[in-house]
Amino acid sequence: GLPDQSRTHKKMASPLIGVLSLLLALSTLTAAYDTSGVVSLDTRTFDKIVDGHYPVLVKVDKKWSTSTVYKELSDKVAESSTKLLLAEVAVSDYGEKDNEDLAKRFGISKEDFPAFMFFAQGSTAPLKYDGNTKEADDFIRWLKKNGVHLGLSGTVQRMDELAAEFMKSEVTRADVLSEAEKAAAELTSKLALETDTGKAEKSNIDSYIRVMKNVIKEGVAFVDKEVKRLEKLKGDKAVKADKRAMFAQRLNIVSSFSAQ
């Protein structure tokens, strides 16, 4: 009698274990595809959120896709004071074909996935991103050109502000350079220059001054020329990784002068 009873329990337990395993797998899958800090939108909610009240960056992609870059952007947004909202639209081309009509509305096909659109504050007209989708810094530079400031690696917000002021008018550049030199000295005085981090931060601050001096000497064409040079060095696999990282920071700094 007891062995039969044991077999009965095993038969009953087997389906239950299967159901529990499935539920666990589904919950794990859902968690894996959820990006903290990113709002999921659909056909019903899109226009309620993207209504011009806040700047919004929207990723349109196939359902269940993941994005390491979007996770990095989400972390950057969380650390900053920006009002930028990150959102995503998951599109399915089977079953109910969720949000396929929303993708079509903006002229996005599955061949375009992942597609990114930026809606500036006060606007419901999208700007489509056509740059590199593999690196967060490329998005951040592009957003900066469109009025959203997120801290790029190596950049200094006060010096970024002065870079923007410097590029506004050729007439006032000498005065802004003088102001920038004072700001650089003040910022440097607060650094622990005996550490590698302090030395690196000082070097980044000094880079802003060097760019300003070169622009005064050579004109604004220097900025585009330097951006191209640094982009090439940053992507050169023959260059050591630590040097590529340094060139990437320099590129971020120089881009502060081209984002006007």
Side-chain angles (χ1 to χ4, degrees):
L2 198 56
D4 290 340
Q5 199 173 33
S6 178
R7 281 194 294 270
T8 301
H9 286 161
K10 284 182 180 179
K11 288 179 181 178
M12 292 176 63
S14 183
L16 181 59
I17 290 171
V19 170
L20 289 173
S21 298
L22 179 60
L23 289 172
L24 180 61
L26 286 172
S27 65
T28 303
L29 184 65
T30 300
Y33 289 109
D34 177 54
T35 303
S36 177
V38 178
V39 179
S40 293
L41 301 178
D42 58 24
T43 304
R44 295 181 179 181
T45 60
F46 189 91
D47 291 317
K48 294 179 180 179
I49 300 299
V50 186
D51 61 356
H53 279 86
Y54 295 97
V56 186
L57 180 65
V58 181
K59 175 171 78 83
V60 182
D61 205 352
K62 61 184 177 183
K63 201 170 187 178
W64 306 124
S65 67
T66 58
S67 175
T68 303
V69 168
Y70 229 43
K71 174 65 171 67
E72 289 180 41
L73 280 174
S74 176
D75 292 341
K76 286 282 188 181
V77 169
E79 293 167 2
S80 75
S81 59
T82 181
K83 292 182 178 180
L84 178 68
L85 178 68
L86 296 183
E88 58 188 357
V89 175
V91 181
S92 173
D93 60 358
Y94 58 87
E96 297 293 326
K97 297 191 176 182
D98 298 331
N99 301 319
E100 192 178 66
D101 55 340
L102 196 53
K104 287 180 179 178
R105 170 180 159 187
F106 292 103
I108 298 170
S109 66
K110 62 182 180 181
E111 287 76 21
D112 300 319
F113 294 161
F116 297 86
M117 302 182 292
F118 174 66
F119 296 82
Q121 187 169 359
S123 173
T124 56
L127 290 173
K128 292 187 178 180
Y129 177 74
D130 60 359
N132 178 16
T133 61
K134 303 295 183 184
E135 295 186 30
D137 278 3
D138 288 310
F139 279 97
I140 294 171
R141 278 192 290 271
W142 183 75
L143 287 167
K144 189 174 180 180
K145 288 181 180 180
N146 289 290
V148 176
H149 187 281
L150 290 171
L152 282 160
S153 175
T155 61
V156 181
Q157 184 165 354
R158 176 59 184 142
M159 300 305 287
D160 274 353
E161 291 167 356
L162 287 165
E165 187 66 27
F166 178 83
M167 295 301 285
K168 281 181 181 177
S169 171
E170 185 177 354
V171 176
T172 59
R173 280 179 189 155
D175 291 335
V176 177
L177 171 59
S178 178
E179 186 179 350
E181 287 175 329
K182 291 176 184 176
E186 183 180 347
L187 290 165
T188 300
S189 69
K190 299 175 183 178
L191 299 176
L193 294 177
E194 69 278 7
T195 67
D196 289 341
T197 299
K199 290 173 184 175
E201 289 176 351
K202 181 183 185 305
S203 179
N204 288 336
I205 291 169
D206 291 344
S207 291
Y208 286 91
I209 303 302
R210 282 197 298 273
V211 173
M212 289 182 183
K213 288 180 177 179
N214 278 309
V215 168
I216 289 173
K217 182 181 178 181
E218 301 180 28
V220 294
F222 168 80
V223 175
D224 288 338
K225 182 175 68 175
E226 187 68 355
V227 164
K228 289 175 183 176
R229 184 183 78 87
L230 291 168
E231 282 179 339
K232 185 177 180 180
L233 289 169
K234 179 177 78 82
D236 188 349
K237 300 301 181 184
V239 177
K240 289 183 179 180
D242 60 335
K243 289 291 185 182
R244 291 204 309 272
M246 182 194 73
F247 290 133
Q249 290 193 348
R250 293 289 184 271
L251 175 60
N252 291 339
I253 291 167
V254 176
S255 294
S256 298
F257 292 85
S258 63
Q260 314 311 320

